[in-house]
Amino acid sequence: MALLDRAIARLLPAVPRPLVQRISSRYIAGETVAEACRTVTQLNEQGRMATIDVLGEEISTPEAALEIVGAYHDVFEAIKSEHLDSNVSVKLTGLGLKLGYDLCKRNLQTVVRHAAESGNFVRIDMEDSSCTSDTLRMYRELREEGLDNVGVVLQAYLRRTIRDIRDLAPLRPNVRLCKGIYVEPPLIAYRDFDAVRENFVLCLRELLRKGSYVGIATHDKWLISEGLRLVGEHGLKPEEYEFQMLLGVSAAAGDRLIREGHRLRVYVPFGKHWYSYSMRRLQENPKIAGYIAADTFGRVLGRNGA
Ligand SMILES: Cc1cc2nc3c(=O)[nH]c(=O)nc-3n(C[C@H](O)[C@H](O)[C@H](O)COP(=O)(O)OP(=O)(O)OC[C@H]3O[C@@H](n4cnc5c(N)ncnc54)[C@H](O)[C@@H]3O)c2cc1C
C-alpha cells in the first residue's frame, strides 16, 4: 500500500458514516434479502456461485442474534424459490458468541438445520483471534453431532493454523482458506507479507493432501497461480475445489478463472449492520485515497453543476 493510502486507511474511523457507506457500497449488496438475491442472480448469470452473509457482527442482545437467525431462514427460502446457486456464510458473533457459547451454538444449530432442510450449506467465517478456539470447537461439535452441511474458515496468517489443519483432519473438513483480515499480535500471527503467502501455500498443500474440499479465498495473483499449481498437482477436477472472492474486488481475475474452467464463489454481504465489514474492506483497499478523492470531487462537481 502506498504511504498516502496507508495514512488514510488509519484515519478511516474518523470518517463520517455516510461517506463510509457511500464509498463502501461496491462491497455490499444492499440492506434487504431482495437486494442480495438480485446481486446473486447477476453473479449466477456470469457463471459465478455465491455465498450470502447476513451482516450482524455488531449485535449486542440475544433478540438481535435471533433476528439474524430469522434473516438466514428468509435467505434459504429465497435461494430455494429463486433457484439461486448460493450457500451462506455466518459470523458467530452475529449469532451471539460474545453473549454466550451455548446461546450461539443453539443459534448456529438452527441455521445449519434450516440449511439442511433446503439442501444448503453453511460456512462459518473466522473472526479475530478471541473467537478462533470457540469457532473451531463449535464446528467440531456440530460435525460430531452429525451435521455435515457445514464448513469453516482458516486464516493463513495465524501460526496455529497448520496445527488446526492436522487436528481437524479426521473430520475431512470443508475449509475456506484465506489470509486473515484482523490485526493480530506477532506472537500468534505472521505479519510479514511473504510469510503469510508462504504459510497459505503450506496450509493449502496440507489441506489438499488430507483430502479436504478447499475454497481458495484470495485476490492475490501469485497465490491464485500457486493454488492452480497445487490443484493441478493433486489432479483435482473443477468440482473438487473452488476459488472465492469478495463482492466488488478483482472482477477481472475472477473472469479469467471462469474462462479457464475453474469454479468461483463470490462473497455477498447484505444487511443493516454494514459498518464493521465496510471498514475492513476499505482499510485493505490499496487505492483508498483515490476512492475518497473521487467521491468527494464527484460530489463537489455534481453540486456545482446542479
Ligand atoms: C470469499 C472470502 C471470504 C473471506 N472470509 C474471511 C474470513 O472469514 N475471515 C477473515 O479473517 N478474512 C476473510 N477474508 C479476507 C481475507 O482474509 C483477506 O483479508 C482478503 O481476501 C485480502 O487478502 P488477499 O488474499 O486477497 O490478498 P491481498 O494481498 O490483500 O490483496 C490482493 C489484491 O486484491 C485486491 N484487493 C484486496 N482487497 C481489496 C479491497 N478491499 N478493495 C479493493 N481491492 C482489494 C488488491 O488489488 C490487492 O492488491 C475473506 C476473503 C474472501 C475472498
Side-chain angles (χ1 to χ4, degrees):
M1 239 190 199
L3 261 182
L4 178 63
D5 291 296
R6 216 173 300 142
I8 289 193
R10 267 200 295 272
L11 289 175
L12 271 174
V15 170
R17 282 172 84 100
L19 177 54
V20 171
Q21 188 171 23
R22 249 192 344 267
I23 55 178
S24 63
S25 61
R26 64 185 288 207
Y27 301 118
I28 293 180
E31 294 208 354
T32 66
V33 179
E35 286 169 301
C37 288
R38 251 198 313 279
T39 300
V40 172
T41 302
Q42 285 163 5
L43 292 166
N44 287 172
E45 284 166 2
Q46 299 159 3
R48 289 156 156 85
M49 307 178 289
T51 183
I52 298 180
D53 169 39
V54 180
L55 293 167
E57 62 201 280
E58 292 143 54
I59 64 111
S60 56
T61 63
E63 294 73 27
L66 275 181
E67 255 185 60
I68 303 283
V69 174
Y72 275 107
H73 187 258
D74 296 344
V75 168
F76 291 128
E77 296 284 298
I79 289 175
K80 201 166 172 187
S81 69
E82 297 188 31
H83 308 289
L84 300 177
D85 188 347
S86 181
N87 60 34
V88 305
S89 291
V90 301
K91 285 195 172 49
L92 292 188
T93 52
L95 297 180
L97 184 62
K98 297 294 181 188
L99 305 172
Y101 184 89
D102 293 338
L103 175 142
C104 176
K105 187 174 168 191
R106 276 195 303 279
N107 287 337
L108 179 63
Q109 285 165 325
T110 306
V111 173
V112 174
R113 291 205 178 100
H114 281 160
E117 283 159 18
S118 51
N120 213 312
F121 175 86
V122 177
R123 169 84 54 202
I124 310 172
D125 285 348
M126 188 58 83
E127 299 177 71
D128 67 58
S129 59
S130 70
C131 303
T132 313
S133 294
D134 280 345
T135 302
L136 294 180
R137 179 180 150 209
M138 210 175 290
Y139 169 71
R140 178 184 285 281
E141 287 174 0
L142 261 65
R143 289 292 313 280
E144 287 169 355
E145 288 164 20
L147 293 169
D148 288 334
N149 60 319
V150 58
V152 74
V153 176
L154 293 172
Q155 297 154 321
Y157 67 8
L158 286 188
R159 295 176 192 272
R160 60 177 282 172
T161 292
I162 192 72
R163 284 194 307 280
D164 290 330
I165 290 171
R166 289 171 187 153
D167 290 348
L168 290 169
L171 295 171
R172 296 239 352 249
N174 181 321
V175 173
R176 173 196 299 149
L177 181 64
C178 64
K179 285 185 179 175
I181 180 60
Y182 302 89
V183 180
E184 303 290 359
L187 197 63
I188 63 164
Y190 299 105
R191 302 274 285 265
D192 174 70
F193 187 78
D194 288 328
V196 176
R197 271 181 165 176
E198 203 178 301
N199 201 44
F200 193 114
V201 173
L202 180 75
C203 291
L204 178 56
R205 187 179 292 119
E206 189 68 3
L207 284 164
L208 295 177
R209 210 167 62 81
K210 298 252 185 318
S212 272
Y213 181 94
V214 187
I216 306 168
T218 182
H219 320 92
D220 180 334
K221 290 196 181 84
W222 183 81
L223 273 183
I224 292 173
S225 66
E226 283 297 287
L228 289 170
R229 187 175 62 76
L230 287 175
V231 297
E233 270 175 29
H234 281 78
L236 296 183
K237 301 193 195 80
E239 64 275 14
E240 292 174 324
Y241 61 91
E242 64 190 50
F243 285 88
Q244 298 189 352
M245 292 186 180
L246 299 169
L247 185 66
V249 182
S250 298
D255 286 339
R256 230 175 355 262
L257 284 170
I258 291 172
R259 264 201 313 277
E260 290 167 8
H262 306 284
R263 299 201 307 162
L264 175 66
R265 188 178 300 279
V266 176
Y267 191 94
V268 177
F270 82 96
K272 316 186 278 227
H273 304 278
W274 48 266
Y275 186 74
S276 302
Y277 182 87
S278 301
M279 289 297 274
R280 284 200 300 278
R281 295 289 80 86
L282 290 175
Q283 278 165 335
E284 70 181 357
N285 185 328
K287 295 185 182 130
I288 182 60
Y291 271 91
I292 293 186
D295 180 273
T296 310
F297 289 131
R299 278 164 56 79
V300 169
L301 291 174
R303 225 176 278 138
N304 286 346

